[in-house]
Amino acid sequence: MNRDPQRNELGEFLRARRAELTPADVGLPDGGQRRVAGLRREEVAVLASISTDYYTRLEQGRMPASPAVLTALTRVLRLDDDQSAYLHELSAKGDHQPTRRPPRPKIQPQLQRLLDDLAHTPAFVIGPRTEIVAWNAMGAALITDFGKIPEKQRYYIRLLITDPAMRELYADWEGVTRLAIAQMRMHNANNPGDRQLAELVGELSVREEQFGRWWAAHDVATRDTGSKHLRHAVVGDLHLDWNAVTWAADTDLQIIVWTAEAGTPSHDGLRLLASWAAEPGRTTSDRPA
């Protein structure tokens, strides 16, 4: 069997999406008792107007898919926009060398200055493996003192899984964590065989059974914008919007910026948090190691 990481991931992704559908979902008769959940390979093949052998080879990572087949599978498997983009990205990269990322992205001084100038706005910089590589004082005050976490452990997804305080901070911890996992998979579409990513996934799968199940679901989501409810230990409930801004000098990096609408209790809470963070003795070691 082909061991190309992109093609293997393509096959696993297709199997996961196939397992989510029933014959009734796609207008097929039930066909009797099934050994496994979801559609059969031959049913997907018929609906996509391809041979069962062709589709089987796709799931086994033995061949790439043509653009026309990808379009058909997007329709048959009822993929959303993020899932379709991920499918096309995996197929496009299947015949090329994967991206070689450095162990830790380097932060340019001007990026740190930009963060520091956001005196009332929490912000941090995240990499594709969810590594936290830069932050400002408000980012540390809102989430955690990143500077106290060893660099090799400073991953957002790792914090969500291993730090009990994060379960208290996020009102919908499960939703936040599952979204972070889906985003991490999406943002590694061009490098699913990355050694550091594999080590991180392996560690967290051992530590938390839920993580293993969620990662195995092969869900994907773009990291772009959203809202979260935080229960902050100092300023109480915060309902914040977040936006991910890609750093043009290194498109693997995104700046996560948290804001609240002016005049709302959450906006007042951020102002209070800024005052708290600025108190003597409250400064954090807010520079990457």
Side-chain angles (χ1 to χ4, degrees):
M1 183 179 292
N2 191 297
R3 295 299 178 184
D4 179 88
Q6 264 85 13
R7 290 187 187 170
N8 287 341
E9 174 64 17
L10 174 64
E12 291 174 7
F13 179 73
L14 290 173
R15 284 194 293 275
R17 301 288 75 81
R18 175 167 62 89
E20 292 177 334
L21 296 174
T22 67
D25 291 332
V26 294
L28 291 176
D30 192 309
Q33 188 173 0
R34 293 170 180 257
R35 290 180 298 173
V36 294
L39 297 177
R40 298 186 177 106
R41 285 175 174 171
E42 55 267 30
E43 291 170 333
V44 174
V46 167
L47 292 169
S49 299
I50 57 178
S51 71
T52 301
D53 179 68
Y54 184 99
Y55 181 75
T56 299
R57 287 171 179 266
L58 288 180
E59 282 202 359
Q60 291 175 343
R62 294 164 58 191
M63 65 185 302
S66 69
V69 169
L70 293 176
T71 299
L73 291 175
T74 295
R75 171 182 54 81
V76 171
L77 298 176
R78 301 191 171 190
L79 304 185
D80 61 27
D81 290 344
D82 286 345
Q83 292 170 333
S84 178
Y86 186 70
L87 180 67
H88 281 77
E89 179 74 7
L90 285 175
S91 184
K93 296 294 182 179
D95 293 324
H96 304 287
Q97 281 292 103
T99 302
R100 301 296 182 187
R101 294 196 178 108
R104 200 80 184 179
K106 301 297 182 183
I107 295 301
Q108 298 172 326
Q110 54 267 44
L111 176 53
Q112 187 63 60
R113 289 198 299 269
L114 184 153
L115 295 176
D116 291 340
D117 282 345
L118 301 174
H120 297 94
T121 304
F124 60 83
V125 178
I126 192 169
R129 310 176 188 101
T130 76
E131 54 268 68
I132 303 297
V133 293
W135 56 92
N136 62 9
M138 277 291 284
L142 180 68
I143 307 298
T144 190
D145 190 344
F146 297 112
K148 291 183 177 179
I149 302 169
E151 186 180 81
K152 291 184 178 180
Q153 300 176 12
R154 200 183 295 147
Y155 293 89
Y156 182 68
I157 191 64
R158 191 178 188 280
L159 287 171
L160 285 170
I161 295 296
T162 65
D163 187 350
M166 298 294 272
R167 299 182 186 235
E168 295 298 323
L169 177 64
Y170 289 108
D172 180 19
W173 172 83
E174 178 175 332
V176 168
T177 303
R178 297 189 71 164
L179 177 61
I181 292 170
Q183 291 169 341
M184 183 168 69
R185 186 180 289 280
M186 184 77 173
H187 287 268
N188 284 278
N190 61 355
N191 200 23
D194 180 69
R195 181 179 60 82
Q196 281 184 272
L197 177 65
E199 290 176 354
L200 178 63
V201 169
E203 177 203 354
L204 297 181
S205 296
V206 170
R207 295 189 63 154
E208 178 60 62
E209 182 183 352
Q210 282 181 310
F211 175 88
R213 291 200 306 271
W214 295 338
W215 179 256
H218 288 263
D219 292 329
V220 292
T222 300
R223 189 186 296 127
D224 47 19
T225 188
S227 301
K228 287 187 172 70
H229 175 197
L230 285 72
R231 299 174 298 202
H232 198 273
V234 175
V235 298
D237 282 354
L238 296 170
H239 294 269
L240 303 179
D241 299 319
W242 62 271
N243 287 271
V245 181
T246 301
W247 182 242
D250 184 348
T251 55
D252 273 343
L253 300 180
Q254 292 182 295
I255 308 168
I256 308 298
V257 182
W258 301 76
T259 60
E261 185 177 352
T264 63
S266 292
H267 184 265
D268 295 340
L270 285 182
R271 294 286 172 164
L272 179 60
L273 184 63
S275 298
W276 177 84
E279 291 178 9
R282 298 292 187 188
T283 57
T284 64
S285 48
D286 55 359
R287 292 293 185 274

mmCIF file of all heavy atoms in Angstrom, residues 78-95:
data_model
loop_
_atom_site.group_PDB
_atom_site.id
_atom_site.type_symbol
_atom_site.label_atom_id
_atom_site.label_comp_id
_atom_site.label_asym_id
_atom_site.label_seq_id
_atom_site.Cartn_x
_atom_site.Cartn_y
_atom_site.Cartn_z
ATOM 1 N N ARG A 78 -21.639 15.027 0.513
ATOM 2 C CA ARG A 78 -22.268 16.219 1.097
ATOM 3 C C ARG A 78 -21.285 17.032 1.935
ATOM 4 O O ARG A 78 -21.558 17.407 3.082
ATOM 5 C CB ARG A 78 -23.491 15.829 1.924
ATOM 6 C CG ARG A 78 -24.542 15.102 1.095
ATOM 7 C CD ARG A 78 -25.851 14.945 1.838
ATOM 8 N NE ARG A 78 -26.891 14.433 0.946
ATOM 9 C CZ ARG A 78 -28.190 14.372 1.274
ATOM 10 N NH1 ARG A 78 -28.577 14.766 2.461
ATOM 11 N NH2 ARG A 78 -29.072 13.909 0.410
ATOM 12 N N LEU A 79 -20.131 17.289 1.353
ATOM 13 C CA LEU A 79 -19.088 18.021 2.057
ATOM 14 C C LEU A 79 -19.419 19.505 2.113
ATOM 15 O O LEU A 79 -19.920 20.085 1.140
ATOM 16 C CB LEU A 79 -17.739 17.826 1.358
ATOM 17 C CG LEU A 79 -17.262 16.382 1.162
ATOM 18 C CD1 LEU A 79 -15.863 16.376 0.566
ATOM 19 C CD2 LEU A 79 -17.301 15.607 2.473
ATOM 20 N N ASP A 80 -19.126 20.134 3.248
ATOM 21 C CA ASP A 80 -19.282 21.583 3.335
ATOM 22 C C ASP A 80 -18.062 22.251 2.697
ATOM 23 O O ASP A 80 -17.151 21.587 2.184
ATOM 24 C CB ASP A 80 -19.499 22.034 4.784
ATOM 25 C CG ASP A 80 -18.330 21.697 5.710
ATOM 26 O OD1 ASP A 80 -17.178 21.584 5.232
ATOM 27 O OD2 ASP A 80 -18.562 21.566 6.926
ATOM 28 N N ASP A 81 -18.017 23.574 2.726
ATOM 29 C CA ASP A 81 -16.949 24.299 2.042
ATOM 30 C C ASP A 81 -15.567 23.949 2.604
ATOM 31 O O ASP A 81 -14.606 23.762 1.840
ATOM 32 C CB ASP A 81 -17.176 25.803 2.140
ATOM 33 C CG ASP A 81 -18.360 26.270 1.298
ATOM 34 O OD1 ASP A 81 -18.811 25.497 0.422
ATOM 35 O OD2 ASP A 81 -18.847 27.400 1.513
ATOM 36 N N ASP A 82 -15.449 23.879 3.925
ATOM 37 C CA ASP A 82 -14.153 23.558 4.533
ATOM 38 C C ASP A 82 -13.732 22.132 4.187
ATOM 39 O O ASP A 82 -12.565 21.871 3.868
ATOM 40 C CB ASP A 82 -14.215 23.720 6.053
ATOM 41 C CG ASP A 82 -14.226 25.180 6.480
ATOM 42 O OD1 ASP A 82 -13.899 26.049 5.651
ATOM 43 O OD2 ASP A 82 -14.551 25.448 7.649
ATOM 44 N N GLN A 83 -14.667 21.197 4.249
ATOM 45 C CA GLN A 83 -14.356 19.804 3.930
ATOM 46 C C GLN A 83 -13.950 19.654 2.463
ATOM 47 O O GLN A 83 -13.003 18.930 2.136
ATOM 48 C CB GLN A 83 -15.553 18.910 4.245
ATOM 49 C CG GLN A 83 -15.852 18.785 5.728
ATOM 50 C CD GLN A 83 -17.184 18.104 5.992
ATOM 51 O OE1 GLN A 83 -18.096 18.161 5.160
ATOM 52 N NE2 GLN A 83 -17.308 17.460 7.136
ATOM 53 N N SER A 84 -14.646 20.365 1.581
ATOM 54 C CA SER A 84 -14.309 20.311 0.166
ATOM 55 C C SER A 84 -12.924 20.894 -0.090
ATOM 56 O O SER A 84 -12.125 20.330 -0.859
ATOM 57 C CB SER A 84 -15.361 21.075 -0.646
ATOM 58 O OG SER A 84 -15.026 21.079 -2.022
ATOM 59 N N ALA A 85 -12.625 22.010 0.550
ATOM 60 C CA ALA A 85 -11.303 22.630 0.388
ATOM 61 C C ALA A 85 -10.207 21.690 0.882
ATOM 62 O O ALA A 85 -9.140 21.575 0.267
ATOM 63 C CB ALA A 85 -11.251 23.955 1.142
ATOM 64 N N TYR A 86 -10.463 21.009 1.994
ATOM 65 C CA TYR A 86 -9.485 20.076 2.547
ATOM 66 C C TYR A 86 -9.264 18.905 1.598
ATOM 67 O O TYR A 86 -8.127 18.491 1.345
ATOM 68 C CB TYR A 86 -9.987 19.575 3.906
ATOM 69 C CG TYR A 86 -9.013 18.708 4.665
ATOM 70 C CD1 TYR A 86 -7.857 19.241 5.203
ATOM 71 C CD2 TYR A 86 -9.273 17.354 4.869
ATOM 72 C CE1 TYR A 86 -6.962 18.450 5.914
ATOM 73 C CE2 TYR A 86 -8.397 16.558 5.584
ATOM 74 C CZ TYR A 86 -7.246 17.121 6.110
ATOM 75 O OH TYR A 86 -6.366 16.330 6.815
ATOM 76 N N LEU A 87 -10.337 18.368 1.052
ATOM 77 C CA LEU A 87 -10.242 17.256 0.112
ATOM 78 C C LEU A 87 -9.396 17.648 -1.101
ATOM 79 O O LEU A 87 -8.512 16.896 -1.539
ATOM 80 C CB LEU A 87 -11.646 16.846 -0.335
ATOM 81 C CG LEU A 87 -11.740 15.679 -1.328
ATOM 82 C CD1 LEU A 87 -11.297 14.380 -0.669
ATOM 83 C CD2 LEU A 87 -13.167 15.558 -1.860
ATOM 84 N N HIS A 88 -9.648 18.831 -1.668
ATOM 85 C CA HIS A 88 -8.901 19.282 -2.836
ATOM 86 C C HIS A 88 -7.435 19.554 -2.484
ATOM 87 O O HIS A 88 -6.537 19.259 -3.280
ATOM 88 C CB HIS A 88 -9.545 20.535 -3.428
ATOM 89 C CG HIS A 88 -10.756 20.251 -4.263
ATOM 90 N ND1 HIS A 88 -11.979 19.946 -3.712
ATOM 91 C CD2 HIS A 88 -10.928 20.220 -5.613
ATOM 92 C CE1 HIS A 88 -12.865 19.746 -4.678
ATOM 93 N NE2 HIS A 88 -12.245 19.903 -5.846
ATOM 94 N N GLU A 89 -7.190 20.093 -1.294
ATOM 95 C CA GLU A 89 -5.811 20.365 -0.872
ATOM 96 C C GLU A 89 -5.022 19.069 -0.737
ATOM 97 O O GLU A 89 -3.877 18.971 -1.193
ATOM 98 C CB GLU A 89 -5.811 21.128 0.453
ATOM 99 C CG GLU A 89 -4.430 21.455 1.010
ATOM 100 C CD GLU A 89 -3.722 22.570 0.280
ATOM 101 O OE1 GLU A 89 -4.352 23.207 -0.597
ATOM 102 O OE2 GLU A 89 -2.537 22.805 0.556
ATOM 103 N N LEU A 90 -5.621 18.070 -0.122
ATOM 104 C CA LEU A 90 -4.935 16.785 0.032
ATOM 105 C C LEU A 90 -4.617 16.170 -1.326
ATOM 106 O O LEU A 90 -3.523 15.650 -1.542
ATOM 107 C CB LEU A 90 -5.817 15.813 0.827
ATOM 108 C CG LEU A 90 -5.927 16.034 2.325
ATOM 109 C CD1 LEU A 90 -6.933 15.063 2.920
ATOM 110 C CD2 LEU A 90 -4.582 15.874 3.010
ATOM 111 N N SER A 91 -5.558 16.236 -2.242
ATOM 112 C CA SER A 91 -5.344 15.638 -3.550
ATOM 113 C C SER A 91 -4.288 16.409 -4.336
ATOM 114 O O SER A 91 -3.436 15.821 -5.002
ATOM 115 C CB SER A 91 -6.654 15.613 -4.338
ATOM 116 O OG SER A 91 -6.493 14.957 -5.570
ATOM 117 N N ALA A 92 -4.316 17.734 -4.230
ATOM 118 C CA ALA A 92 -3.351 18.554 -4.962
ATOM 119 C C ALA A 92 -1.939 18.312 -4.488
ATOM 120 O O ALA A 92 -0.979 18.365 -5.251
ATOM 121 C CB ALA A 92 -3.704 20.033 -4.817
ATOM 122 N N LYS A 93 -1.767 18.030 -3.190
ATOM 123 C CA LYS A 93 -0.438 17.830 -2.626
ATOM 124 C C LYS A 93 0.049 16.398 -2.768
ATOM 125 O O LYS A 93 1.206 16.109 -2.477
ATOM 126 C CB LYS A 93 -0.446 18.198 -1.134
ATOM 127 C CG LYS A 93 -0.738 19.676 -0.854
ATOM 128 C CD LYS A 93 0.357 20.566 -1.368
ATOM 129 C CE LYS A 93 0.063 22.040 -1.037
ATOM 130 N NZ LYS A 93 1.125 22.928 -1.513
ATOM 131 N N GLY A 94 -0.825 15.498 -3.210
ATOM 132 C CA GLY A 94 -0.459 14.088 -3.202
ATOM 133 C C GLY A 94 0.738 13.735 -4.054
ATOM 134 O O GLY A 94 1.453 12.790 -3.757
ATOM 135 N N ASP A 95 0.994 14.494 -5.137
ATOM 136 C CA ASP A 95 2.107 14.180 -6.025
ATOM 137 C C ASP A 95 3.316 15.072 -5.773
ATOM 138 O O ASP A 95 4.244 15.104 -6.579
ATOM 139 C CB ASP A 95 1.667 14.332 -7.488
ATOM 140 C CG ASP A 95 0.635 13.273 -7.866
ATOM 141 O OD1 ASP A 95 0.756 12.144 -7.363
ATOM 142 O OD2 ASP A 95 -0.277 13.587 -8.642
#
